[in-house]
Amino acid sequence: MSSVITRYRCAACGNLTRFDVTTTRRTRAFHHYSLSGDLSVEDAEVLNEVVEVVSCRWCGSGGAVEALPAADVLDKTEAHGDGPERPPERSDGPERPPERSDGPERPPERSDGAPNEPSGG
């Protein structure tokens, strides 16, 4: 049984790239143990695969996710790349200007020309 790649689309938000997929697989594989006991799984073959749940990672919708026909997948990825960009993350406030890195902040110069002295309390 060959594994078929299924492409999904969320009809609620338009997502084409991020989904939580719960799948049950029955496989046959060759387990090779080294002399030290390390396992290496080789020649894994999927005998049966059932997709149980698909939900959108962006909006959380499970009912609005649909599998795309193979022809649509090829047309959209060739024409538009990998799908819509994810909306930017929300920031916690206005953007701050970059901090200066030219040393510690100094007190303003005195107008009488005398040197600045640290205030020691």
Side-chain angles (χ1 to χ4, degrees), residues 13 23 26 39 50-51 61 65 69 76-77 79 81 83 90 92 94 97 115-116 119:
C13 70
T23 306
R26 192 168 71 93
L39 171 63
V50 176
V51 176
S61 175
V65 176
K76 288 181 181 177
T77 55
R90 261 188 346 187
D92 292 335
N116 289 332
S119 58

Side-chain angles (χ1 to χ4, degrees), residues 25 29 33 43 54 56 61 96 105:
R25 288 187 185 102
Y33 293 90
D43 299 326
V54 180
C56 178
S61 175
R96 295 180 182 172
E105 188 174 324

Side-chain angles (χ1 to χ4, degrees), residues 8-73:
Y8 299 103
R9 177 183 182 279
C10 179
C13 70
N15 174 24
L16 288 170
T17 59
R18 307 281 193 281
F19 298 92
D20 290 315
V21 181
T22 303
T23 306
T24 300
R25 288 187 185 102
R26 192 168 71 93
T27 62
R28 176 180 30 233
F30 172 66
H31 287 209
H32 176 205
Y33 293 90
S34 68
L35 294 177
S36 64
D38 295 330
L39 171 63
S40 174
V41 178
E42 302 170 7
D43 299 326
E45 175 187 0
V46 177
L47 302 174
N48 188 24
E49 181 175 277
V50 176
V51 176
E52 296 174 7
V53 178
V54 180
S55 61
C56 178
R57 179 56 76 99
W58 288 4
C59 71
S61 175
V65 176
E66 56 193 17
L68 295 177
D72 286 354
V73 171

